[in-house]
Amino acid sequence: DGGITQSPKYLFRKEGQNVTLSCEQNLNHDAMYWYRQDPGQGLRLIYYSQIVNDFQKGDIAEGYSVSREKKESFPLTVTSAQKNPTAFYLCASSSRTGTQPQHFGDGTRLSIL
Amino acid sequence: GQQLNQSPQSMFIQEGEDVSMNCTSSSIFNTWLWYKQEPGEGPVLLIALYKAGELTSNGRLTAQFGITRKDSFLNISASIPSDVGIYFCAGQPPTNSGYALNFGKGTSLLVTP
Protein backbone atom coordinates (compact mmCIF):
# COMPACT_ATOMS: atom_id res chain seq x y z
CA ASP A 1 0.00 0.00 0.00
CA GLY A 2 1.18 3.54 -0.70
CA GLY A 3 1.63 5.72 2.32
CA ILE A 4 3.80 7.59 4.76
CA THR A 5 5.75 5.73 7.44
CA GLN A 6 7.07 7.47 10.50
CA SER A 7 9.37 5.83 13.01
CA PRO A 8 9.75 5.30 15.84
CA LYS A 9 6.25 5.65 17.26
CA TYR A 10 7.65 6.75 20.64
CA LEU A 11 11.02 8.35 21.32
CA PHE A 12 12.73 9.53 24.47
CA ARG A 13 15.46 12.12 24.59
CA LYS A 14 17.94 12.88 27.31
CA GLU A 15 19.00 16.41 28.06
CA GLY A 16 21.62 17.65 25.60
CA GLN A 17 20.99 14.87 23.13
CA ASN A 18 20.07 15.11 19.46
CA VAL A 19 17.46 12.68 18.16
CA THR A 20 16.33 11.93 14.61
CA LEU A 21 12.79 11.12 13.53
CA SER A 22 12.33 9.14 10.35
CA CYS A 23 9.76 9.81 7.61
CA GLU A 24 9.52 7.71 4.44
CA GLN A 25 6.87 7.92 1.70
CA ASN A 26 6.18 5.73 -1.33
CA LEU A 27 3.55 8.01 -2.87
CA ASN A 28 6.02 9.50 -5.35
CA HIS A 29 5.32 12.93 -3.86
CA ASP A 30 7.83 15.70 -4.44
CA ALA A 31 6.89 17.80 -1.41
CA MET A 32 7.30 16.76 2.21
CA TYR A 33 6.57 18.56 5.46
CA TRP A 34 7.18 18.33 9.18
CA TYR A 35 4.64 19.64 11.68
CA ARG A 36 4.64 19.83 15.45
CA GLN A 37 1.45 19.29 17.45
CA ASP A 38 1.02 20.31 21.09
CA PRO A 39 -2.05 19.43 23.21
CA GLY A 40 -5.05 21.54 22.31
CA GLN A 41 -3.21 23.14 19.44
CA GLY A 42 -3.31 22.93 15.72
CA LEU A 43 -0.34 21.76 13.71
CA ARG A 44 2.57 24.16 13.26
CA LEU A 45 5.02 23.92 10.38
CA ILE A 46 8.66 23.19 11.21
CA TYR A 47 10.30 22.58 7.82
CA TYR A 48 9.22 21.73 4.31
CA SER A 49 10.89 20.50 1.14
CA GLN A 50 9.58 20.79 -2.40
CA ILE A 51 12.32 18.85 -4.14
CA VAL A 52 15.36 16.76 -3.34
CA ASN A 53 18.32 18.64 -1.87
CA ASP A 54 16.17 21.66 -1.09
CA PHE A 55 14.26 22.59 2.06
CA GLN A 56 12.89 25.70 3.72
CA LYS A 57 12.19 26.80 7.29
CA GLY A 58 8.63 26.93 8.49
CA ASP A 59 7.18 28.92 11.38
CA ILE A 60 9.03 27.16 14.22
CA ALA A 61 12.32 25.89 12.74
CA GLU A 62 14.59 26.93 15.62
CA GLY A 63 16.17 23.91 17.30
CA TYR A 64 15.39 21.56 14.40
CA SER A 65 17.25 20.45 11.27
CA VAL A 66 16.30 18.37 8.23
CA SER A 67 17.83 16.81 5.13
CA ARG A 68 16.34 15.70 1.80
CA GLU A 69 18.86 13.46 0.08
CA LYS A 70 16.23 11.17 -1.42
CA LYS A 71 12.75 11.86 -2.73
CA GLU A 72 11.27 9.23 -0.43
CA SER A 73 12.90 10.37 2.81
CA PHE A 74 12.76 13.53 4.93
CA PRO A 75 14.28 12.94 8.39
CA LEU A 76 13.90 15.51 11.16
CA THR A 77 16.58 16.04 13.81
CA VAL A 78 15.54 17.57 17.10
CA THR A 79 18.68 19.19 18.44
CA SER A 80 19.69 20.02 21.99
CA ALA A 81 18.97 23.65 21.12
CA GLN A 82 15.23 22.87 21.12
CA LYS A 83 14.41 23.57 24.77
CA ASN A 84 10.86 22.28 24.73
CA PRO A 85 10.88 19.27 22.39
CA THR A 86 8.11 17.25 24.03
CA ALA A 87 5.39 17.05 21.38
CA PHE A 88 3.73 14.91 18.73
CA TYR A 89 5.57 15.20 15.41
CA LEU A 90 3.77 14.63 12.12
CA CYS A 91 5.22 14.19 8.67
CA ALA A 92 3.18 14.83 5.53
CA SER A 93 3.65 14.75 1.78
CA SER A 94 1.89 16.11 -1.28
CA SER A 95 2.34 16.75 -4.96
CA ARG A 96 4.65 19.65 -5.69
CA THR A 97 1.96 21.64 -7.45
CA GLY A 98 -0.34 21.52 -4.43
CA THR A 99 -3.21 20.19 -6.49
CA GLN A 100 -3.52 17.18 -4.25
CA PRO A 101 -4.11 17.39 -0.51
CA GLN A 102 -1.46 16.51 2.04
CA HIS A 103 -1.43 13.05 3.51
CA PHE A 104 -0.01 12.41 6.96
CA GLY A 105 1.95 9.68 8.70
CA ASP A 106 0.89 8.33 12.09
CA GLY A 107 3.30 10.51 14.03
CA THR A 108 6.14 10.18 16.52
CA ARG A 109 5.66 11.15 20.16
CA LEU A 110 8.83 12.61 21.62
CA SER A 111 9.32 12.89 25.37
CA ILE A 112 12.15 14.11 27.56
CA LEU A 113 13.70 11.81 30.16
CA GLY B 1 1.65 31.02 9.04
CA GLN B 2 -1.67 32.27 10.24
CA GLN B 3 -3.65 30.02 12.58
CA LEU B 4 -7.25 29.66 11.58
CA ASN B 5 -10.18 30.37 13.93
CA GLN B 6 -12.04 27.12 14.39
CA SER B 7 -15.22 26.73 16.45
CA PRO B 8 -16.57 25.31 18.53
CA GLN B 9 -13.59 24.10 20.52
CA SER B 10 -15.49 21.02 21.69
CA MET B 11 -18.88 19.38 21.31
CA PHE B 12 -20.61 16.76 23.41
CA ILE B 13 -23.63 15.32 21.64
CA GLN B 14 -25.93 12.33 21.56
CA GLU B 15 -25.85 9.72 18.87
CA GLY B 16 -28.12 10.67 15.98
CA GLU B 17 -27.68 14.41 16.33
CA ASP B 18 -26.27 16.57 13.57
CA VAL B 19 -23.00 18.45 14.07
CA SER B 20 -21.75 21.67 12.56
CA MET B 21 -18.33 23.28 12.90
CA ASN B 22 -16.66 26.11 11.06
CA CYS B 23 -13.39 27.77 10.35
CA THR B 24 -12.62 31.40 9.51
CA SER B 25 -9.60 33.32 8.39
CA SER B 26 -8.66 36.97 8.01
CA SER B 27 -7.12 36.24 4.60
CA ILE B 28 -8.18 34.23 1.58
CA PHE B 29 -7.31 30.64 0.87
CA ASN B 30 -7.04 28.64 -2.35
CA THR B 31 -7.87 25.34 -0.73
CA TRP B 32 -9.78 24.23 2.36
CA LEU B 33 -9.31 20.80 3.84
CA TRP B 34 -10.98 18.96 6.69
CA TYR B 35 -9.14 16.27 8.62
CA LYS B 36 -10.09 13.93 11.47
CA GLN B 37 -7.55 12.82 14.04
CA GLU B 38 -7.90 10.03 16.57
CA PRO B 39 -5.65 9.69 19.63
CA GLY B 40 -2.06 8.75 18.81
CA GLU B 41 -2.61 8.83 15.07
CA GLY B 42 -2.04 11.22 12.22
CA PRO B 43 -4.83 13.30 10.70
CA VAL B 44 -6.88 11.57 8.01
CA LEU B 45 -8.28 13.61 5.16
CA LEU B 46 -12.09 13.79 5.08
CA ILE B 47 -12.90 16.37 2.43
CA ALA B 48 -10.89 18.66 0.15
CA LEU B 49 -12.37 21.85 -1.35
CA TYR B 50 -10.69 23.72 -4.20
CA LYS B 51 -13.17 26.30 -5.44
CA ALA B 52 -15.08 29.13 -3.76
CA GLY B 53 -18.69 28.10 -3.22
CA GLU B 54 -17.93 24.42 -3.66
CA LEU B 55 -20.11 22.06 -1.64
CA THR B 56 -18.82 18.51 -1.29
CA SER B 57 -20.13 15.45 0.50
CA ASN B 58 -18.45 12.31 1.75
CA GLY B 59 -21.10 9.99 3.17
CA ARG B 60 -22.65 11.73 6.18
CA LEU B 61 -20.13 14.57 5.95
CA THR B 62 -20.69 17.75 3.99
CA ALA B 63 -18.29 20.67 3.69
CA GLN B 64 -18.40 23.99 1.88
CA PHE B 65 -15.76 26.44 0.68
CA GLY B 66 -17.06 29.90 1.55
CA ILE B 67 -17.76 32.40 -1.24
CA THR B 68 -15.42 34.95 0.33
CA ARG B 69 -12.65 32.29 0.39
CA LYS B 70 -12.16 33.15 4.06
CA ASP B 71 -14.26 30.46 5.66
CA SER B 72 -15.43 26.88 5.49
CA PHE B 73 -17.82 24.67 7.41
CA LEU B 74 -18.18 20.96 8.03
CA ASN B 75 -21.45 19.24 8.87
CA ILE B 76 -21.87 15.70 10.12
CA SER B 77 -25.38 14.27 9.93
CA ALA B 78 -26.82 11.56 12.17
CA SER B 79 -23.68 11.21 14.30
CA ILE B 80 -22.51 7.80 15.49
CA PRO B 81 -20.04 6.86 18.26
CA SER B 82 -17.20 6.26 15.80
CA ASP B 83 -17.37 9.94 14.81
CA VAL B 84 -15.51 10.69 18.04
CA GLY B 85 -12.23 12.47 17.44
CA ILE B 86 -10.70 15.85 16.78
CA TYR B 87 -11.64 17.59 13.56
CA PHE B 88 -9.21 20.07 12.03
CA CYS B 89 -9.71 22.57 9.29
CA ALA B 90 -6.71 23.49 7.18
CA GLY B 91 -6.22 26.11 4.52
CA GLN B 92 -3.68 26.70 1.80
CA PRO B 93 -3.08 30.41 1.17
CA PRO B 94 -2.29 31.76 -2.33
CA THR B 95 1.33 32.52 -1.50
CA ASN B 96 2.79 30.34 1.15
CA SER B 97 5.43 27.92 2.21
CA GLY B 98 5.46 25.44 -0.63
CA TYR B 99 1.78 24.58 -0.24
CA ALA B 100 2.16 23.98 3.48
CA LEU B 101 -1.09 24.26 5.37
CA ASN B 102 -2.37 26.59 8.07
CA PHE B 103 -4.42 24.75 10.68
CA GLY B 104 -7.20 25.53 13.12
CA LYS B 105 -6.88 24.36 16.73
CA GLY B 106 -9.43 21.62 16.22
CA THR B 107 -12.94 20.72 17.36
CA SER B 108 -13.09 17.84 19.80
CA LEU B 109 -16.23 15.76 19.23
CA LEU B 110 -17.66 13.37 21.79
CA VAL B 111 -20.70 11.25 20.92
CA THR B 112 -22.68 9.36 23.54
CA PRO B 113 -24.71 6.29 22.56
Side-chain angles (χ1 to χ4, degrees):
Chain A
D1 281 348
I4 302 172
T5 301
Q6 289 188 241
S7 62
K9 183 71 173 175
Y10 301 95
L11 187 58
F12 298 91
R13 193 192 89 169
K14 296 180 181 179
E15 294 287 342
Q17 186 180 47
N18 293 352
V19 292
T20 298
L21 285 61
S22 170
C23 179
E24 303 277 333
Q25 55 98 359
N26 60 5
L27 299 168
N28 200 33
H29 284 162
D30 287 299
M32 297 186 73
Y33 313 82
W34 275 104
Y35 293 89
R36 170 179 171 140
Q37 185 176 30
D38 294 284
Q41 300 294 318
L43 281 65
R44 293 182 291 166
L45 182 67
I46 305 173
Y47 268 97
Y48 68 97
S49 168
Q50 290 183 276
I51 55 173
V52 174
N53 293 322
D54 183 66
F55 49 83
Q56 304 295 329
K57 293 182 179 179
D59 300 319
I60 55 167
E62 185 175 350
Y64 300 97
S65 66
V66 293
S67 63
R68 187 83 188 279
E69 296 177 2
K70 298 187 300 182
K71 185 176 183 178
E72 304 79 24
S73 179
F74 191 40
L76 173 73
T77 297
V78 184
T79 74
S80 57
Q82 172 51 245
K83 297 307 178 188
N84 184 24
T86 298
F88 193 48
Y89 290 88
L90 288 158
C91 177
S93 70
S94 72
S95 65
R96 184 179 177 188
T97 60
T99 55
Q100 293 177 0
Q102 288 183 24
H103 293 270
F104 286 83
D106 278 339
T108 292
R109 185 165 300 281
L110 176 62
S111 302
I112 298 301
L113 289 176
Chain B
Q2 170 194 179
Q3 189 149 52
L4 306 178
N5 299 312
Q6 186 173 349
S7 64
Q9 185 175 358
S10 61
M11 301 184 75
F12 188 71
I13 63 170
Q14 283 195 316
E15 183 176 2
E17 290 184 15
D18 296 343
V19 172
S20 183
M21 59 191 78
N22 70 81
C23 213
T24 61
S25 166
S26 58
S27 55
I28 63 173
F29 284 90
N30 283 347
T31 302
W32 282 96
L33 305 169
W34 286 92
Y35 289 89
K36 178 186 177 185
Q37 185 178 30
E38 299 190 24
E41 297 182 6
V44 174
L45 181 69
L46 299 174
I47 293 180
L49 302 159
Y50 297 103
K51 188 176 176 182
E54 180 181 356
L55 183 71
T56 297
S57 293
N58 177 9
R60 293 179 295 105
L61 279 61
T62 301
Q64 184 160 29
F65 191 143
I67 286 291
T68 65
R69 296 172 65 191
K70 293 183 179 181
D71 63 324
S72 176
F73 72 75
L74 174 70
N75 288 341
I76 305 174
S77 63
S79 59
I80 59 179
S82 62
D83 289 334
V84 167
I86 301 177
Y87 292 79
F88 288 98
C89 63
Q92 185 183 96
T95 54
N96 67 336
S97 313
Y99 303 104
L101 299 173
N102 296 348
F103 282 83
K105 290 187 177 182
T107 295
S108 178
L109 179 63
L110 293 175
V111 180
T112 59

